[in-house]
Amino acid sequence: MASPADQTLSAPTLSDIDLTNPDVFAERMPHDWFDLLRREAPVWQHPPTDEHPEPFWVVSSFEHISEAHRSGTLFSHQTGPGRDGAGGIALNDIADGRGPGLQMVMTDPPQHTRYRKLVNTGFTPRMVRRMEEVMRLRTNIILDRICEQGSADFVLDVAAELPLMAIADIIGVPDEDREQLLDWSNRTIGGSDPEYQDEPTGEEDSDHSATYESAMIEMAFYAHGLTDQKRTQPEDDLWTVLTTATVTLDDGTVTELTDLERDLFFTLLLVAGNETTRNAISLGLMGFMDHPDQWATVVETGEMTDDAVDEILRYTSPVNYFRRTATADTELGGQQIRAGDKVTLWYPSGNRDEKVYDDPHRLDLTRTDNHHLAFGAGGAHFCLGANLAKLELKLIFEGLAARLPDITITGPADRLRMNFVNGIKHLPVEFTPSQPVLTASSAG
């Protein structure tokens, strides 16, 4: 097979496509492959590869991704026939008892409904509105730290900061522990990238699974300790609520989270609440620099409208895919899918479907009726943190436009070696130095 770089020099064919190769995603987002798939094979069976020796379905069109989302448990987040309870939302199976059926994102209704009723109090529009002024202040604190320097690593110094602060505020993580959150998030998602891998302790640790496992264990221990702390010293945060929260189900059963379920929910909140928004901010800045007329509009108006925020989400699509497992024989896009088959839904492709969006590869802040797939395509699993992520994007880009309007990217983006998320690790930027806007007392 040709190298990823060589394939960009000529029109690709289906035989060129290997979505299991993390080196491809370390170089680029392969939109040329997705354009081809939507034209020729919108529901396509990916052949086995060295990285993943099992065929799986690739769903690339907006229409069929949406259809899969509307199909309920026909395409399970949890497991399917012949998998002995293993499954989940990543391409590689997660073993039974390690997430499927226990972590909210890896459950189907009615279990998923139980989880959402227990945890959604931290993510209501009212709760997010309460956070807006605090997050606006935090945005200024972040920009104050770099404004006099004239340069920064945009990912580490800006994009990673606000989502991390927001999710830590919601959970109730003490300030002194927040650096650990970023490390755990990087190692959980980026374990296949050499920058984030743990030092190997032997031949059995030579792949990224050891990094993922150690990060998950560390987070579970921390979450357990945080639960004990909130029970003895309750505060006004989501984790305090979850230590005692109960919900009454439709059949009258009163239930609460088990310790294991709570520990796994901590990992989900941390990774989903931090990683995706961080990458949307980084990729959004790259999109603005590729479309300077759109950045000029934000600078001139000082505003990111709701339509503009949705366009950033459509254009960046920070989650590459979610995997489902077919629970029965079915048909999708004219293809016969068997019970137990893995089915992957590729959101960057659906979000640039030319049958839905005019000039789909262009960032256009005036685009309206933008029913993008960045938070899923509706249904039971629509992202709990959608309103929070939108607020973070609005505040960070409005802050940049007001305070660092001439920000420019000065070197290539250092991309994450991972096919699950569209990740940026480092992004060098420069801007005209300016003075901080907060006094020491207001920042504190």
Side-chain angles (χ1 to χ4, degrees):
M1 181 179 292
S3 72
D6 292 339
Q7 291 166 16
T8 63
L9 300 178
S10 58
T13 65
L14 292 178
S15 63
D16 292 324
I17 296 174
D18 181 2
L19 294 172
T20 70
N21 184 355
D23 292 327
V24 171
F25 296 87
E27 293 193 7
R28 75 191 206 281
M29 172 55 64
H31 284 297
D32 54 336
W33 287 357
F34 294 130
D35 292 346
L36 172 67
L37 285 167
R38 289 193 305 274
R39 286 195 309 269
E40 296 189 7
V43 180
W44 176 67
Q45 190 168 47
H46 197 298
T49 67
D50 291 341
E51 288 278 346
H52 190 76
E54 178 183 358
F56 60 95
W57 294 97
V58 173
V59 184
S60 57
S61 73
F62 186 101
E63 174 189 357
H64 298 115
I65 293 170
S66 300
E67 183 179 345
H69 270 268
R70 292 193 302 267
S71 297
T73 57
L74 177 61
F75 296 107
S76 172
H77 291 69
Q78 185 169 329
T79 188
R83 297 206 171 268
D84 297 325
I89 60 169
L91 189 53
N92 292 322
D93 276 340
I94 296 175
D96 185 25
R98 305 295 295 276
L102 294 171
Q103 192 179 68
M104 185 173 71
V105 75
M106 301 184 207
T107 58
D108 297 322
Q111 178 80 327
H112 181 76
T113 306
R114 165 179 171 264
Y115 278 121
R116 287 186 81 97
K117 287 183 176 180
L118 279 165
V119 305
N120 67 5
T121 54
F123 298 93
T124 62
R126 177 175 170 271
M127 181 68 72
V128 171
R129 284 194 298 271
R130 279 178 54 190
M131 294 181 64
E132 181 168 355
E133 284 310 308
V134 172
M135 291 175 62
R136 195 179 298 278
L137 173 64
R138 289 195 180 279
T139 299
N140 275 319
I141 292 172
I142 292 165
L143 298 182
D144 271 4
R145 291 172 181 168
I146 65 169
C147 63
E148 296 177 288
Q149 301 171 10
S151 64
D153 180 333
F154 186 78
V155 177
L156 296 183
D157 298 330
V158 179
E161 287 290 296
L162 189 61
L164 193 64
M165 290 176 177
I167 204 64
D169 281 343
I170 288 173
I171 296 174
V173 172
D175 287 343
E176 61 268 21
D177 294 342
R178 293 184 181 185
E179 280 299 312
Q180 294 182 68
L181 303 187
L182 180 61
D183 176 63
W184 287 328
S185 179
N186 285 338
R187 288 161 58 207
T188 302
I189 287 292
S192 62
D193 191 297
E195 181 172 340
Y196 299 134
Q197 285 176 355
D198 292 344
E199 289 293 326
T201 58
E203 288 186 12
E204 72 279 4
D205 293 338
S206 60
D207 65 8
H208 69 272
S209 60
T211 301
Y212 171 83
E213 292 288 344
S214 65
M216 291 289 288
I217 291 169
E218 290 168 29
M219 281 189 284
F221 273 109
Y222 181 85
H224 215 73
L226 189 64
T227 298
D228 292 340
Q229 176 185 326
K230 300 297 183 183
R231 281 175 173 155
T232 58
Q233 299 174 317
E235 299 181 85
D236 184 19
D237 55 52
L238 178 62
W239 213 252
T240 297
V241 172
L242 292 184
T243 61
T244 58
T246 61
V247 65
T248 302
L249 303 180
D250 292 341
D251 64 0
T253 303
V254 178
T255 184
E256 61 181 321
L257 291 174
T258 67
D259 286 341
L260 176 58
E261 290 170 337
R262 192 181 295 106
D263 294 347
L264 287 170
F265 185 62
F266 179 88
T267 68
L268 175 63
L269 274 178
L270 172 57
V271 175
N274 163 53
E275 194 77 28
T276 54
T277 312
R278 178 211 314 186
N279 288 317
I281 293 170
S282 300
L283 293 162
L285 182 68
M286 293 167 63
F288 276 129
M289 297 300 101
D290 287 339
H291 299 83
D293 59 317
Q294 301 300 297
W295 180 239
T297 297
V298 181
V299 171
E300 290 166 8
T301 64
E303 182 185 12
M304 284 286 290
T305 65
D306 291 345
D307 285 339
V309 171
D310 277 325
E311 176 65 355
I312 290 291
L313 288 162
R314 180 199 71 85
Y315 183 84
T316 62
S317 296
V319 175
N320 287 342
Y321 76 88
F322 275 160
R323 170 264 185 105
R324 303 285 183 261
T325 306
T327 57
D329 292 350
T330 189
E331 180 182 305
L332 184 66
Q335 300 297 316
Q336 298 300 314
I337 295 174
R338 301 295 299 273
D341 282 0
K342 295 178 179 179
V343 179
T344 57
L345 312 176
W346 290 82
Y347 301 110
S349 180
N351 278 336
R352 297 198 182 190
D353 190 331
E354 45 284 299
K355 291 183 178 179
V356 178
Y357 304 104
D358 292 332
D359 199 4
H361 294 297
R362 172 173 168 74
L363 179 67
D364 181 1
L365 302 187
T366 66
R367 204 183 295 274
T368 58
D369 296 324
N370 190 342
H371 305 295
H372 59 76
L373 305 170
F375 296 127
H381 279 264
F382 186 77
C383 178
L384 264 178
N387 290 315
L388 179 61
K390 288 183 176 184
L391 178 60
E392 292 170 17
L393 288 166
K394 174 182 174 65
L395 293 179
I396 206 72
F397 285 118
E398 287 181 352
L400 287 167
R403 299 190 52 189
L404 309 178
D406 64 348
I407 189 170
T408 58
I409 295 172
T410 58
D414 187 0
R415 294 182 55 85
L416 183 67
R417 185 180 180 271
M418 159 65 67
N419 68 351
F420 187 66
V421 299
N422 190 4
I424 306 297
K425 299 186 297 179
H426 304 285
L427 185 67
V429 296
E430 290 183 353
F431 42 85
T432 299
S434 59
Q435 294 297 309
V437 301
L438 299 175
T439 65
S441 59
S442 64

